[in-house]
Amino acid sequence: MQIHNNTLIAECSAYDFKKMLERKKVKSWLKSISAFANTEGGSLFYGVNDDGEIVGLENPQDDADFISETIKARLDPVPEIQLIPIEHEGQTLLEVKVKAGTLTPYYYYQDGTRTAYVRIGNESVECNSQQLLSLVLKGTHMTWDSLPTQVDANKHSFVILANTFREQTHQEWNDKYLESFGLVTSDGKLTNAGLLFVDNCTVFQSRIFCTRWTGLYKDDAISSVEHRANLVLLLKYGMDFIKNYTMSGWVKMPNYRLNLPDYSDRAIFEGLVNHLIHRDYTVMGGEVHIDIYDDRVELVSPGAMLDGTQIQDRDIYKVPSMRRNPVIADMFTQLDYMEKRGSGLRKMRELTEKLPNFLQGKEPQYQTEATSFFTTFYNLNWGENGRIPVEKVADRVNSTLKKYPVNEESSEKKFGVNTEQFGVNKESSEKKFGVNSKEQPKKVSRTAQKIIDLIISDSSITAENMANKIGVSKRAIEKSIKSLRDMGIIIHEGSDKAGYWRIIVKP
């Protein structure tokens, strides 16, 4: 909070201005006290008009006494507050500082009716049923996914989860993990999280709706499918759908093939994981939506930011990790689907930025509305006039297309581009471009080419995971990585276990 030219400058999501104290209409400001206590705290400033101009109070001490007594009489439980007088150029204003509560929900009480409020943007709004349930759980220091059910664990199987665990971690599964991971209680009952991971998941809201739309808007659908399954399968089905309805071209470089995908596979994977983990499962009629358009992929899930802020107003590099469903998040971490430090939003952008055909302005974007979270990935091979021919995409990456031929199958079959239109034919590079093949750099090995492809797909991949995916020894991977580094094709930014690979494209 700052004062400039007799005007209070503050963030509207954390502050409210009141010109004077309303003594007859106490609900007008008590609902803000309730909302601040139920979310991330905040302050009311009395003696400040709606424009932030300081007008002062006539009797701040009487106002402070009235505020204190009214809060005690009308809010239950009573939130922790501070009354702070502020003197400025002969005028006195009063700050009512409300601490974020731990005994949520904090109700406003009147005529036998109890109402809880939350802060959304610059407004204090009445809680809906899902928000109220979340506040009740928060007040009892429980989360929805950790709550026990009355379902016996021995009547259900976790074969899909166990097999996925083995594939992802290369470790043996032990049924004792079910309790230690929070999926089963000590008396053999499934938790809500456990219900979401059993083979025959019957949780109604555990669904994804996948649609490939024609064009740029929700007009006609090329394909639409609904999946209802456990979270492991939902992740698989969602990624399969996205891969089936997105494209990837490639261009032939001097000694290797360079993929030019529409999107970063790993970035979209991180996005879908994020939506499955952090969505609000108390919304019975809600599900995760995957909408694919010509120029973008949108992921939508029920549940806004836990602290009531809007993600589009935040710096994603400074957003703290807050988990609505910590048991589900921990299970995905155990499956090596996400990192513990909660860096998903940042990582999606960084993975996209590492693609060789990335263009500024095409970073993933995030948006929250009252009850929904949106993630948008932009097609890197799409321009104002439609799909960009692979030749032009590659030409944007570097200037080597004048020397090296473009893959004809990728251009013509995948993008409908006639290679003759761009002067590319089947003549040898020596005849057409005057390039002596003896002077060409040595082509990379098959393993090295697969490493390049993996780096394009996931620039955060480790050497160990490369070995597992390609099916060769780690020593063979390290040898190929060294050769690619020596040839100046790849570099690694960061430590060996944390950081990103980058393809070096030279003209």
Side-chain angles (χ1 to χ4, degrees), residues 205-210 225-229 233-239 272 276 287-290:
Q205 61 268 39
S206 183
R207 300 181 297 172
I208 57 172
F209 287 3
C210 308
V225 63
E226 173 187 348
H227 293 289
R228 182 178 173 186
L233 289 180
L234 288 186
L235 179 60
K236 178 183 182 302
Y237 295 151
M239 288 304 300
L272 186 52
L276 290 173
E287 59 277 322
V288 174
H289 284 255
I290 300 173

Side-chain angles (χ1 to χ4, degrees), residues 39-41 119 304-310 314 319-320 322 324:
T39 49
E40 292 300 298
R119 195 74 175 171
M305 297 283 284
L306 274 178
D307 59 7
T309 62
Q310 294 181 310
R314 303 285 298 273
V319 175
M322 299 178 66
R324 178 180 275 112

Side-chain angles (χ1 to χ4, degrees), residues 81 96 108 116 126 183 273 279 316 392 423 460 466 474 484:
I81 66 168
V96 182
Y108 165 69
E126 184 177 338
L183 306 182
V273 166
R279 61 153 292 186
I316 64 166
K392 291 187 177 181
S460 65
M466 288 181 189
K474 189 176 179 180
L484 289 171

Side-chain angles (χ1 to χ4, degrees), residues 341-498:
R341 62 177 181 264
S343 57
L345 301 183
R346 171 184 58 76
K347 189 173 182 181
M348 284 179 240
R349 284 198 176 176
E350 291 176 349
L351 286 164
T352 301
E353 290 168 354
K354 296 302 176 185
L355 288 176
N357 55 329
F358 170 74
L359 194 62
Q360 289 295 328
K362 296 234 175 183
E363 304 88 353
Q365 297 295 321
Y366 314 105
Q367 182 177 352
T368 48
E369 293 183 353
T371 58
S372 300
F373 192 100
F374 296 77
T375 301
T376 303
F377 298 92
Y378 294 100
N379 190 334
L380 302 181
N381 298 320
W382 191 270
E384 294 181 358
N385 299 318
R387 176 168 286 281
I388 306 170
V390 67
E391 290 85 355
K392 291 187 177 181
V393 176
D395 195 39
R396 189 182 76 207
V397 174
N398 60 30
S399 60
T400 57
L401 281 183
K402 295 180 180 179
K403 297 181 180 179
Y404 306 108
V406 176
N407 168 41
E408 298 170 47
E409 181 181 358
S410 172
S411 300
E412 193 163 356
K413 291 187 177 180
K414 288 194 175 183
F415 299 102
V417 176
N418 185 342
T419 55
E420 293 181 2
Q421 178 183 349
F422 294 91
V424 179
N425 58 29
K426 297 182 180 180
E427 294 179 27
S428 69
S429 57
E430 186 172 351
K431 286 184 179 180
K432 184 170 180 62
F433 301 110
V435 177
N436 187 337
S437 59
K438 293 181 181 180
E439 297 175 358
Q440 294 273 350
K442 182 181 178 181
K443 289 188 176 182
V444 303
S445 66
R446 290 184 179 181
T447 299
Q449 180 62 60
K450 290 179 180 179
I451 289 174
I452 294 171
D453 295 343
L454 285 175
I455 290 173
I456 294 291
S457 178
D458 177 9
S459 58
S460 65
I461 192 169
T462 63
E464 184 177 358
N465 286 338
M466 288 181 189
N468 293 329
K469 287 182 177 292
I470 296 176
V472 298
S473 67
K474 189 176 179 180
R475 184 176 180 181
I477 292 293
E478 291 172 346
K479 182 179 179 181
S480 295
I481 287 175
K482 185 179 184 304
S483 69
L484 289 171
R485 278 176 163 163
D486 292 342
M487 295 166 71
I489 295 176
I490 65 171
I491 62 170
H492 190 268
E493 303 166 325
S495 65
D496 290 339
K497 294 185 178 180

Side-chain angles (χ1 to χ4, degrees), residues 10 53 69 87 107 151 157 172 177 196 231 284 301 312 398 414 424 431 442 462 488 496:
E53 183 181 354
E69 292 302 319
E87 297 289 339
Y107 293 98
V151 180
S157 60
E172 192 54 45
Y177 292 159
L196 290 170
L231 295 187
M284 295 303 295
S301 59
Q312 58 268 32
N398 60 30
K414 288 194 175 183
V424 179
K431 286 184 179 180
K442 182 181 178 181
T462 63
D496 290 339

